[in-house]
Amino acid sequence: TGNIANVYMWGGGGGGGGNSHYNGGGGGGGYAEYQIPLSTLGSTVSVTVGSGGGINQNGGTSSFGGSSYQAGGGNAGHNGTNYETHGYGGNGGSPLGTGQGASRGYYGSYSTDDGTQEYYNTGASSGKDGHSGGGGGSGAGNGVSGGGSGYMAGGGGGARRYNTTSAGGSSVGGGAGGPAGVGGYIPAGGGGARMGGARGLVRVVVV
């Protein structure tokens, strides 16, 4: 018995990119918390725990009582065979939805004086607001970068570029992202390259 349902939830971590030379890390699942008066809830409430994304798949959304209360999953990492533009990471999740958290590791480019296009790797962002999952690391753009960290949300997974790999991002209250070749850690950690993300979690405390 009580008056308020305190709901804490994590979305599923995105899966790492797989089956190619260049593999990005999955984004970490988002984190959300809600204080819901019991008087607004029915006698039964549906609860969905977001699944961890498989290889090349987004993480699932966790929800309590429908879409009004949710934590989105992380996006999957990318994979491919183009050594300049393939293998970037997935965005982290947030309460706003799947892939709405911290930005993925990606790539950039510029033109030299002779007109040659040069590519470079850009690192993933961390979820500094506490609710956004860390972005997945990137193996694109002639480099490799690690997964971004979360705080309460999940960390992003590490990337792979041929035989060069990177670490996953850390998290204080959620699961860390897996390094390349290792799955994400429960709850909400993004999968490292060629591995799946971790499942989410829903915890309810009535006070």
Side-chain angles (χ1 to χ4, degrees), residues 41-62:
L41 300 173
S43 57
T44 60
V45 178
S46 62
V47 176
T48 299
V49 176
S51 59
I55 297 171
N56 300 328
Q57 295 181 336
N58 295 337
T61 296
S62 292

Side-chain angles (χ1 to χ4, degrees), residues 13 38 53-54 62 64 104 108 161:
L38 294 184
S62 292
F64 179 85
R104 62 193 177 187
R161 183 178 179 82

